[in-house]
Amino acid sequence: MLLSSCRSDRWRSKYELKQLVRTHRGMDNRSFKSIQLREDAERNQGLSVSKDLVEVGGHAIKANITTLGPLVLPVSEQVHFFTNLLFKKRNSPYIPNYKLAFEHACILATSKKVLDEIQKNLELTEEYMEASRKTLERFGNTSSSSVWYELAYLEANTRIKRGDRIWQLGFGSGFKCNSVVWKALGNVGKPERSPWI
């Protein structure tokens, strides 16, 4: 069982769902058409990726983490962010320190370039990116399932301790971006079955 709202299941649960933020940009025509299933001249279906994908994807991710920030960031970081926003102390926008909100990150492993950009823009360390990079290296782009392979990587390497917060960030056609935040209810030991064992 993956999810349960039954209180009697809490004793055997590894994680508690803390936040879920879903951003859907489908009302914007450029976003909607950025990734589509289309037929070619020979009537073969394939994926059509527009040149606008990087830009619309960036806007969707920005909207998603802007909504997520006030829900997960410490008050001190929120004050710092809003102070910089109001008084424009910098030429470039202030990027909140999301490392203060999460102990682990599982970011959709679509490509090395995408992971590099997200790491750079959110100022994440290699430790935060390790599960995503290892998943991409071992399994390739497995689409939205990559965030579960990344969580399995963290579990197989016994990285998750009681109280740790795990951020799963996924995105896809439409253009959609989703953030899920889990809290570990206990130390998560090495599982018996895992794609990493």
Side-chain angles (χ1 to χ4, degrees), residues 27-66:
M27 70 279 187
D28 172 50
N29 205 32
R30 284 180 53 210
S31 294
F32 181 73
K33 292 183 175 183
S34 64
I35 302 175
Q36 288 189 315
L37 194 60
R38 292 202 176 151
E39 284 186 1
D40 63 13
E42 297 168 6
R43 301 188 55 85
N44 294 319
Q45 282 200 339
L47 203 59
S48 169
V49 179
S50 120
K51 65 180 189 271
D52 297 329
L53 178 64
V54 173
E55 184 182 343
V56 299
H59 290 308
I61 292 170
K62 181 179 177 184
N64 185 273
I65 63 175
T66 300

Side-chain angles (χ1 to χ4, degrees), residues 17 46 48 60 80 106 123 127 135-136 138 140 160:
L17 177 64
S48 169
H80 196 65
C106 300
E123 299 173 0
E127 184 180 1
T135 297
L136 181 62
R138 182 164 182 179
I160 300 175

Side-chain angles (χ1 to χ4, degrees), residues 2-37:
L2 182 60
L3 294 171
S4 175
S5 60
C6 185
R7 283 191 188 274
S8 62
D9 288 330
R10 186 170 177 85
W11 68 271
R12 64 181 179 161
S13 300
K14 291 194 277 186
Y15 304 101
E16 177 182 12
L17 177 64
K18 299 304 282 182
Q19 301 294 338
L20 169 66
V21 174
R22 181 173 169 81
T23 304
H24 196 300
R25 309 277 301 192
M27 70 279 187
D28 172 50
N29 205 32
R30 284 180 53 210
S31 294
F32 181 73
K33 292 183 175 183
S34 64
I35 302 175
Q36 288 189 315
L37 194 60

Side-chain angles (χ1 to χ4, degrees), residues 13-162:
S13 300
K14 291 194 277 186
Y15 304 101
E16 177 182 12
L17 177 64
K18 299 304 282 182
Q19 301 294 338
L20 169 66
V21 174
R22 181 173 169 81
T23 304
H24 196 300
R25 309 277 301 192
M27 70 279 187
D28 172 50
N29 205 32
R30 284 180 53 210
S31 294
F32 181 73
K33 292 183 175 183
S34 64
I35 302 175
Q36 288 189 315
L37 194 60
R38 292 202 176 151
E39 284 186 1
D40 63 13
E42 297 168 6
R43 301 188 55 85
N44 294 319
Q45 282 200 339
L47 203 59
S48 169
V49 179
S50 120
K51 65 180 189 271
D52 297 329
L53 178 64
V54 173
E55 184 182 343
V56 299
H59 290 308
I61 292 170
K62 181 179 177 184
N64 185 273
I65 63 175
T66 300
T67 304
L68 180 67
L71 302 172
V72 297
L73 287 168
V75 174
S76 59
E77 190 66 11
Q78 291 182 45
V79 168
H80 196 65
F81 172 75
F82 288 116
T83 302
N84 279 275
L85 185 68
L86 289 174
F87 299 109
K88 306 244 184 214
K89 290 184 177 179
R90 300 172 171 209
N91 292 335
S92 60
Y94 175 74
I95 305 297
N97 186 354
Y98 282 91
K99 296 182 293 287
L100 297 173
F102 313 108
E103 285 72 36
H104 310 282
C106 300
I107 298 166
L108 182 69
T110 56
S111 72
K112 183 182 182 313
K113 183 177 180 181
V114 169
L115 293 176
D116 290 345
E117 282 299 308
I118 291 174
Q119 179 179 10
K120 183 180 85 174
N121 290 327
L122 294 179
E123 299 173 0
L124 297 174
T125 64
E126 280 301 320
E127 184 180 1
Y128 277 88
M129 300 302 295
E130 182 180 345
S132 300
R133 292 190 189 286
K134 293 291 186 183
T135 297
L136 181 62
E137 182 182 296
R138 182 164 182 179
F139 300 106
N141 180 352
T142 59
S143 192
S144 58
S145 67
S146 73
V147 294
W148 298 108
Y149 283 103
E150 293 164 28
L151 184 60
Y153 175 85
L154 294 170
E155 289 179 350
N157 288 282
T158 60
R159 301 266 176 84
I160 300 175
K161 307 296 180 223
R162 180 182 182 88

